[in-house]
Amino acid sequence: MIYPSFVIAPMLAGLVQGVTGFGGGIITMLIFPLFVSIPVGAGITSALGIPLCLSMVIRYRDEVNVKMALLPALLYNVISSLVISYSVYVDQVTIKKIFGVFLILLCLYYLFVSKNVQNRKLSFPLSIVCIAISATCDGLFGIGGPLMVLYFMSMTSSTHAYLGTMQLFFWTNSMYNTTLRFIKAILLPEHLALLALGTVGILIGGALAGKIVDRLNVTTMRKLIYIMIGVGGVINLMA
């Protein structure tokens, strides 16, 4: 089951990300820890963000703000580096419980909080908090997007600038964190086959999303995904 799962889960991730604009990493991290450890699953999830983010940077290249993307990436990568290095020493049962709590909080955040805080201008201290929390979650679970959505929404003036600049930010981080995980021997040569399968899957999912996005009720789909995130959290917490 492991090889089909590492095609199907990324395919769903690419489809979800292409339709809703978020959630690719969340989808893969609901599936990958069933077959590999959470640090390995987070590493593969981060690596799969490289082709997906790059394709969006190319698509919106005319409105990408390089400086706005790279400056927060410096702090983000310092924090995520420390967390990645520490994550291999955390007991897997403990980290799975933490991951379960994280998913439940993520579900509640998306259902009840995010719409109330989007498009508000963030203060400098709050921006630092967003970057630090996102980097910590990325280092542990390969999921750093939720709070960075708020950060880039508050900093950009158009949808295309927001999408392109944020994807450049995550592409940079994915490249850096994937390299670090190979250096730290979290990701090993034996995982390259899973990465290759996942890359095929996520690109297929992204392509499918472009064909069906106008036919789906995105709002309903998002709510179903939020609920699925919460269920995944409960499963991890009880495991």
Side-chain angles (χ1 to χ4, degrees), residues 3 11 28 32 44 47 53 55 68-69 71 79 85 87 91 101 106 109 166-167 188 190 193 216 220 226 229-230:
Y3 292 116
M11 189 183 301
T28 56
F32 288 174
I44 295 175
C53 292
S55 67
M68 186 182 294
L71 284 179
I79 295 173
S85 299
S87 68
D91 176 71
V101 173
L106 200 59
Y109 164 81
M166 185 171 70
Q167 296 308 313
L188 301 169
E190 66 196 58
L216 297 177
T220 301
Y226 301 155
I229 292 168

Side-chain angles (χ1 to χ4, degrees), residues 150 180 203 219:
L150 300 182
L180 181 62
L203 292 177
T219 300

Side-chain angles (χ1 to χ4, degrees), residues 19-98:
V19 171
T20 68
F22 79 101
I26 297 170
I27 296 299
T28 56
M29 283 302 289
L30 289 175
I31 305 300
F32 288 174
L34 299 175
F35 302 97
V36 296
S37 69
I38 286 180
V40 171
I44 295 175
T45 291
S46 182
L48 293 180
I50 295 173
L52 194 61
C53 292
L54 182 59
S55 67
M56 295 185 72
V57 171
I58 294 171
R59 186 182 308 164
Y60 301 115
R61 60 187 178 277
D62 292 337
E63 296 192 55
V64 171
N65 187 322
V66 176
K67 183 178 179 181
M68 186 182 294
L70 297 185
L71 284 179
L74 295 175
L75 174 61
Y76 191 101
N77 284 330
V78 169
I79 295 173
S80 63
S81 296
L82 295 173
V83 175
I84 288 170
S85 299
Y86 172 73
S87 68
V88 296
Y89 300 107
V90 181
D91 176 71
Q92 285 300 300
V93 175
T94 301
I95 200 170
K96 200 164 187 177
K97 302 294 186 187
I98 295 172

Side-chain angles (χ1 to χ4, degrees), residues 13 16 18 29 47 49 51 88 128 139 145 162 181 187 213:
V16 167
M29 283 302 289
V88 296
I128 297 298
Y162 152 73
R181 284 180 169 106
L187 289 177
V213 63

Side-chain angles (χ1 to χ4, degrees), residues 12-218:
L12 292 173
L15 180 62
V16 167
Q17 183 104 2
V19 171
T20 68
F22 79 101
I26 297 170
I27 296 299
T28 56
M29 283 302 289
L30 289 175
I31 305 300
F32 288 174
L34 299 175
F35 302 97
V36 296
S37 69
I38 286 180
V40 171
I44 295 175
T45 291
S46 182
L48 293 180
I50 295 173
L52 194 61
C53 292
L54 182 59
S55 67
M56 295 185 72
V57 171
I58 294 171
R59 186 182 308 164
Y60 301 115
R61 60 187 178 277
D62 292 337
E63 296 192 55
V64 171
N65 187 322
V66 176
K67 183 178 179 181
M68 186 182 294
L70 297 185
L71 284 179
L74 295 175
L75 174 61
Y76 191 101
N77 284 330
V78 169
I79 295 173
S80 63
S81 296
L82 295 173
V83 175
I84 288 170
S85 299
Y86 172 73
S87 68
V88 296
Y89 300 107
V90 181
D91 176 71
Q92 285 300 300
V93 175
T94 301
I95 200 170
K96 200 164 187 177
K97 302 294 186 187
I98 295 172
F99 184 51
V101 173
F102 170 70
L103 290 178
I104 293 170
L105 292 176
L106 200 59
C107 169
L108 296 174
Y109 164 81
Y110 276 129
L111 285 174
F112 303 112
V113 179
S114 62
K115 288 184 179 180
N116 297 323
V117 296
Q118 286 179 3
N119 300 321
R120 292 184 183 179
K121 186 71 174 178
L122 298 182
S123 64
F124 180 74
L126 192 54
S127 296
I128 297 298
V129 170
C130 284
I131 294 169
I133 294 176
S134 295
T136 300
C137 293
D138 194 349
L140 283 174
F141 313 123
I143 302 171
L147 292 182
M148 294 312 298
V149 167
L150 300 182
Y151 176 85
F152 283 107
M153 276 188 170
S154 75
M155 296 294 179
T156 52
S157 57
S158 73
T159 300
H160 287 181
Y162 152 73
L163 288 171
T165 303
M166 185 171 70
Q167 296 308 313
L168 176 59
F169 170 82
F170 280 119
W171 179 78
T172 303
N173 298 332
S174 294
M175 291 285 289
Y176 176 82
N177 288 342
T178 299
T179 302
L180 181 62
R181 284 180 169 106
F182 273 110
I183 292 173
K184 294 289 184 178
I186 296 172
L187 289 177
L188 301 169
E190 66 196 58
H191 299 126
L192 291 177
L194 300 178
L195 279 171
L197 291 172
T199 299
V200 172
I202 205 164
L203 292 177
I204 291 173
L208 290 175
K211 296 182 180 298
I212 66 173
V213 63
D214 294 330
R215 305 176 188 176
L216 297 177
N217 186 318
V218 176

